[in-house]
Amino acid sequence: MWDMTETATGSQLRELDGSASAAPREQPDLPENRYSNREMSWLDFNARVLALAEDRRQPLLERMKFLSIFASNLDEFYMVRVAGLKRRQEMGLAVRSADGLTPREGLARVSERSRELTLRHARCFLTDIQPALAAEGIRILAWQDLSPGQQSELRDYFLAKIFPVLTPLAVDPAHPFPYISGLSLNLAVLVRDPGSDVDRFARIKVPNNVRRFVVVSQSAEKAEYLPLEELIAAHLDTLFPGMRVVEHHLFRVTRNTDFEVDEDRDEDLLQALERELVRRRFGPPVRLEVAEDIDSAVLALLISEINVQPEDVQQLPGLLDLTGLWQIYELDRPDLKERPFVPATHPRFAEGETPKSVFATLREGDVLVHHPYESFATSVQRFIEQAASDPNVLAIKQTLYRTSGDSPIVDALVDAAEAGKQVVVLVEIKARFDEQANIKWARELERAGCHVVYGLVGLKTHCKTSLVVRQEGGSLRRYAHIGTGNYHPKTARLYEDFGLFTADEAICSDLTDLFNVLTGYSRQTEYRTLLVAPHRLRAGLIERIEREIEHAQQGRQAHIQIKTNHLVDELLIDSLYRASMAGVRVELMVRTFCSIKAGVAGLSENITVRSILGRFLEHSRVFYFANDTDPEYWIGSADLMHRNLDRRVEVLARVTGPNAEQLRETLAFGFSPDTTAWELQGDGRWVRSGGRDSVDYQEVLLRRLASRGE
């Protein structure tokens, strides 16, 4: 099993992919420095998120939202990516990343760039967003800004609601330095006994089960907030009676949460995962955030006791932990937000206002839905709910990678099982940061009588698939959904994704075989119509890239378009380089990790890379190959990364007919020079394209698909 940041040779990756023929027999020489650093490409992505917060053309609360997203992104980056680099450095591993850097060299670059971005992020809020909010009547106050009456009211609130849950922890010979949980806000407090000149240290954890911003006043025109840490700091005397509070400082620790379950050793995966979730809480620290004005002696104590390196410290002006700004975004101020919209029902799933049977619709032909422009509730959710309530449905088979706390999908599966239908659910309990929730769903489904499985040893099941078996007359008919996004009704309103509904017999037969692999002992690796990882997906894509090269060399039409979240797989990148060198036009839309270089003379002159960010998270994976006069369009769950292609079960399905035309139009618009995007330059910089007349990709799709629904 290959680590996320390690570089595998081509032969090793081809062996994992199950196809020694994935690479061409004759390959042009490619330069050694042909890959960009993966971690730095992610920081470039988060810089693009920050640029949206800095863009004064965006509505004010949307700008603030992007500050919160930036902060959440960076937290996860440190918990996983930086943690992985640190672990390899501490183990003394000399394995270099694809761009040739050792873990130590990679960490140095990441630390410098991250420090630059976090300071820019903090100052954007402090000097731009916060004053702009105040001008709109939304103020974040300090204790001294409050009137005596407001202070009196908040003191009562503190004593009744906050004080009872606080636990000051002293540090002295009898009290060791306390454990600091990851991502918690904490106050470092120095107190002194009257008559003594010795300062004593104590730590107070800011409760994470209380809202970060205390409402001081709120009306339709204005809102005033006090950060919870300010309220606690103003009442430290109640926590240390008889002592003099000398000073206090805010700090926050980020811990390593990247771990693996030893599936070969543990017989019960569920129990093993629960043990690892407990261990995750106690992962080693990877970052210490402190206020800019922290006392040097207090900082030295924190560095020593928490056991971080000085280069892991980030001193920031203003508030720490801007992820809490989501609370302020909830304000009912439509004048400061994007225009709301209601997702349209796909026209084939309704007749006017009357819903149609999904099964009757699919017997007439495939349906492709595009979320969030088209409704998840009236397509994917309705598909499962109709299957659960239909007396002719005999079985439902479903994969669940992530879902929501109040999931109608889970409810429908429970109803189906209680109605006596055969319900098989593969719950991926190893989905990072959703493990605890998925364990809960797994047990709930089991209690309802569903057959619940956890996938394959050594692999995560990431594909998004549903299969319904229905009795129709004297025979059985199958219906399927294959998507690019999770069965998650909340993120379906925020994430851009495609989903294919079909009754195609070949696709449904393939899904039947795939579910047999996931639930039983089948070792099938070849499928009729689907490309399935970890055995054939990479090879299938490379074969199609090689086919485009042959077309270009023969003077025929050759063109590749790929839309993906991440592109870091070396074999696929090399295939795309060879395609460019052969004259194939290669257009890539990559949201986050991107290790390919664009526009480099002699290597990637025919490759363009774009990134589109906006009010929705671009999440779909779409693949287009011109194939001369027989174009192919594919959608699915797989990003172009080692983990997706080698360590996950992923599915790509071909889209044909009028649905393929919809994908063609969507891709063409995304790659149009008239569409606002960031474009990767030959020197590695991302430059925002489009002038005054450029158009917003997502806004145009909103208008187009809404009008089509009407």
Side-chain angles (χ1 to χ4, degrees):
M1 184 177 294
W2 291 94
D3 188 273
M4 293 184 204
T5 55
E6 291 178 358
T7 303
T9 65
S11 61
Q12 289 166 327
L13 286 175
R14 286 193 297 276
E15 182 179 352
L16 285 168
D17 195 58
S19 173
S21 63
R25 295 177 183 175
E26 295 183 7
Q27 301 179 13
D29 292 336
L30 298 174
E32 290 187 2
N33 65 341
R34 60 190 183 274
Y35 308 118
S36 298
N37 181 268
R38 173 176 170 166
E39 279 71 31
M40 294 299 288
S41 77
W42 185 94
L43 289 171
D44 286 341
F45 154 72
N46 219 27
R48 297 194 291 277
V49 175
L50 181 54
L52 292 176
E54 295 168 332
D55 186 352
R56 297 189 177 184
R57 295 171 296 180
Q58 296 276 347
L60 180 57
L61 286 178
E62 302 296 339
R63 295 177 62 197
M64 189 192 68
K65 177 189 72 176
F66 286 118
L67 286 180
S68 183
I69 292 172
F70 174 97
S72 297
N73 287 348
L74 198 64
D75 285 346
E76 185 171 334
F77 178 72
Y78 268 86
M79 290 188 291
V80 179
R81 302 303 313 166
V82 173
L85 288 174
K86 281 185 166 292
R87 185 176 64 250
R88 280 180 283 283
Q89 176 183 283
E90 291 163 1
M91 293 173 63
L93 295 178
V95 177
R96 295 179 179 270
S97 56
D99 63 316
L101 296 182
T102 65
R104 182 178 299 277
E105 293 166 339
L107 274 173
R109 288 196 184 183
V110 165
S111 179
E112 180 181 0
R113 177 68 166 146
S114 175
R115 193 178 307 277
E116 168 201 332
L117 289 175
T118 51
L119 284 172
R120 184 174 136 195
H121 173 250
R123 287 172 181 150
C124 176
F125 178 71
L126 194 61
T127 64
D128 187 357
I129 303 294
Q130 191 168 355
L133 289 170
E136 294 289 347
I138 304 169
R139 301 176 64 206
I140 299 174
L141 305 172
W143 180 256
Q144 60 267 26
D145 298 327
L146 303 179
S147 68
Q150 290 172 328
Q151 289 184 349
S152 177
E153 286 182 13
L154 288 182
R155 180 174 179 83
D156 292 341
Y157 170 77
F158 171 81
L159 293 173
K161 302 291 186 181
I162 307 300
F163 176 76
V165 302
L166 298 179
T167 305
L169 296 174
V171 176
D172 57 31
H175 301 86
F177 195 89
Y179 172 77
I180 309 297
S181 54
L183 303 185
S184 63
L185 275 175
N186 302 270
L187 286 168
V189 185
L190 293 182
V191 298
R192 186 178 299 172
D193 202 342
S196 169
D197 58 358
V198 177
D199 291 341
R200 302 185 182 279
F201 180 92
R203 172 259 191 166
I204 300 171
K205 180 179 178 178
V206 178
N208 58 8
N209 55 356
V210 179
R211 305 211 83 183
R212 170 72 184 285
F213 295 100
V214 180
V215 177
V216 178
S217 66
Q218 191 166 326
S219 67
E221 293 78 25
K222 73 171 189 175
E224 294 180 323
Y225 299 94
L226 181 73
L228 183 57
E229 61 268 25
E230 278 272 327
L231 180 62
I232 296 171
H235 294 88
L236 290 174
D237 58 325
T238 64
L239 292 159
F240 302 98
M243 303 290 284
R244 183 167 71 87
V245 178
V246 178
E247 58 188 74
H248 65 273
H249 304 279
L250 200 66
F251 70 97
R252 183 174 184 254
V253 174
T254 308
R255 294 188 175 275
N256 179 348
T257 61
D258 192 27
F259 67 91
E260 292 184 1
V261 178
D262 188 347
E263 298 178 50
D264 295 325
R265 183 189 66 187
D266 293 285
E267 294 183 1
D268 190 321
L269 179 59
L270 197 64
Q271 292 181 0
L273 184 61
E274 287 178 318
R275 288 197 300 272
E276 291 300 329
L277 288 174
V278 173
R279 287 177 52 195
R280 172 187 284 179
R281 295 176 49 215
F282 300 96
V286 294
R287 179 179 58 164
L288 171 63
E289 297 170 274
V290 297
E292 190 176 50
D293 59 354
I294 191 170
D295 177 80
S296 59
V298 173
L299 178 57
L301 175 68
L302 292 175
I303 290 173
S304 172
E305 294 291 349
I306 295 172
N307 193 25
V308 295
Q309 300 301 313
E311 58 266 26
D312 299 328
V313 178
Q314 293 182 349
Q315 291 187 248
L316 301 170
L319 291 173
L320 294 189
D321 186 17
L322 296 184
T323 61
L325 293 175
W326 275 107
Q327 178 188 343
I328 298 175
Y329 181 80
E330 294 171 4
L331 274 171
D332 185 19
R333 289 292 301 270
D335 55 315
L336 302 179
K337 297 182 181 182
E338 294 276 11
R339 184 184 75 256
F341 82 103
V342 176
T345 295
H346 193 288
R348 288 194 53 207
F349 283 143
E351 292 179 354
E353 298 295 320
T354 305
K356 290 175 61 177
S357 164
V358 175
F359 306 118
T361 298
L362 297 185
R363 286 195 291 271
E364 299 169 358
D366 296 353
V367 176
L368 183 73
V369 293
H370 196 184
H371 310 302
Y373 312 103
E374 293 172 314
S375 171
F376 178 91
T378 60
S379 57
V380 179
Q381 182 179 324
R382 184 175 291 168
F383 175 56
I384 304 300
E385 289 175 340
Q386 286 189 359
S389 62
D390 188 333
N392 294 319
V393 167
L394 305 180
I396 303 173
K397 301 183 181 185
Q398 173 88 46
T399 61
L400 282 180
Y401 190 75
R402 303 185 197 275
T403 190
S404 63
D406 52 346
S407 173
I409 300 293
V410 172
D411 292 343
L413 294 171
V414 167
D415 291 343
E418 292 176 344
K421 302 183 193 306
Q422 175 95 355
V423 179
V424 177
V425 187
L426 191 142
V427 179
E428 182 47 77
I429 59 173
K430 293 173 288 182
R432 180 178 284 143
F433 302 123
D434 275 340
E435 297 95 342
Q436 200 68 54
N438 285 6
I439 289 172
K440 174 180 177 292
W441 302 133
R443 287 179 168 151
E444 180 177 328
L445 289 162
E446 284 176 334
R447 285 193 297 269
C450 300
H451 300 290
V452 179
V453 293
Y454 307 131
L456 304 174
V457 172
L459 298 174
K460 283 186 181 180
T461 303
H462 189 251
C463 56
K464 327 298 183 184
T465 57
S466 296
L467 183 68
V468 172
V469 182
R470 190 170 186 267
Q471 182 77 45
E472 297 183 0
S475 62
L476 298 181
R477 184 154 191 172
R478 292 171 290 192
Y479 301 85
H481 170 264
I482 297 175
T484 68
N486 297 302
Y487 292 101
H488 197 304
K490 291 184 178 178
T491 58
R493 296 194 290 268
L494 300 172
Y495 288 18
E496 177 273 340
D497 276 300
F498 284 102
L500 176 68
F501 293 88
T502 183
D504 180 86
E505 187 58 31
I507 292 178
C508 291
S509 295
D510 276 350
L511 284 182
T512 299
D513 292 342
L514 178 61
F515 274 105
N516 289 340
V517 170
L518 296 175
T519 62
Y521 286 117
S522 170
R523 292 293 179 262
Q524 180 168 333
T525 59
E526 296 288 336
Y527 294 86
R528 304 163 187 79
T529 60
L530 302 178
L531 293 178
V532 179
H535 299 289
R536 282 287 300 162
L537 201 155
R538 179 193 284 110
L541 291 177
I542 290 178
E543 287 166 4
R544 284 159 178 78
I545 295 171
E546 295 296 331
R547 188 178 61 193
E548 295 303 305
I549 292 174
E550 293 178 9
H551 286 314
Q553 291 171 339
Q554 297 299 320
R556 297 189 292 266
Q557 181 179 350
H559 185 196
I560 297 170
Q561 291 178 323
I562 296 175
K563 182 178 184 294
T564 182
N565 296 318
H566 314 295
L567 173 57
V568 297
D569 185 79
E570 290 88 7
L571 275 181
L572 279 164
I573 289 174
D574 286 355
S575 293
L576 293 171
Y577 282 145
R578 291 192 294 271
S580 172
M581 295 166 72
V584 179
R585 182 158 60 106
V586 179
E587 295 179 296
L588 307 172
M589 193 181 301
V590 184
R591 191 191 74 218
T592 312
F593 290 116
C594 182
S595 296
I596 201 168
K597 295 183 177 181
V600 177
L603 176 68
S604 56
E605 292 166 287
N606 293 311
I607 296 177
T608 58
V609 182
R610 307 193 108 202
S611 181
I612 292 178
L613 280 75
R615 67 186 295 181
F616 307 128
L617 181 80
E618 293 293 323
H619 190 253
S620 65
R621 295 85 164 180
V622 184
F623 304 84
Y624 161 69
F625 304 95
N627 193 27
D628 192 22
T629 59
D630 184 20
E632 291 187 9
Y633 290 88
W634 297 76
I635 66 167
S637 53
D639 286 312
L640 305 184
M641 307 176 74
H642 301 163
R643 72 185 187 197
N644 295 85
L645 303 175
D646 301 322
R647 303 196 299 277
R648 290 185 174 184
V649 179
E650 304 276 16
V651 169
L652 295 187
R654 186 174 177 182
V655 179
T656 59
N659 296 316
E661 177 63 18
Q662 180 183 343
L663 289 177
R664 186 197 69 77
E665 292 177 356
T666 304
L667 287 174
F669 183 56
F671 287 112
S672 167
D674 296 328
T675 299
T676 302
W678 275 267
E679 293 188 348
L680 181 60
Q681 307 299 299
D683 59 5
R685 293 178 302 115
W686 288 88
V687 176
R688 196 166 189 176
S689 64
R692 289 183 177 179
D693 297 330
S694 63
V695 293
D696 185 290
Y697 170 77
Q698 296 180 351
E699 285 299 317
V700 170
L701 286 178
L702 272 175
R703 292 195 295 270
R704 285 185 177 181
L705 290 171
S707 63
R708 191 184 81 173
E710 292 169 4

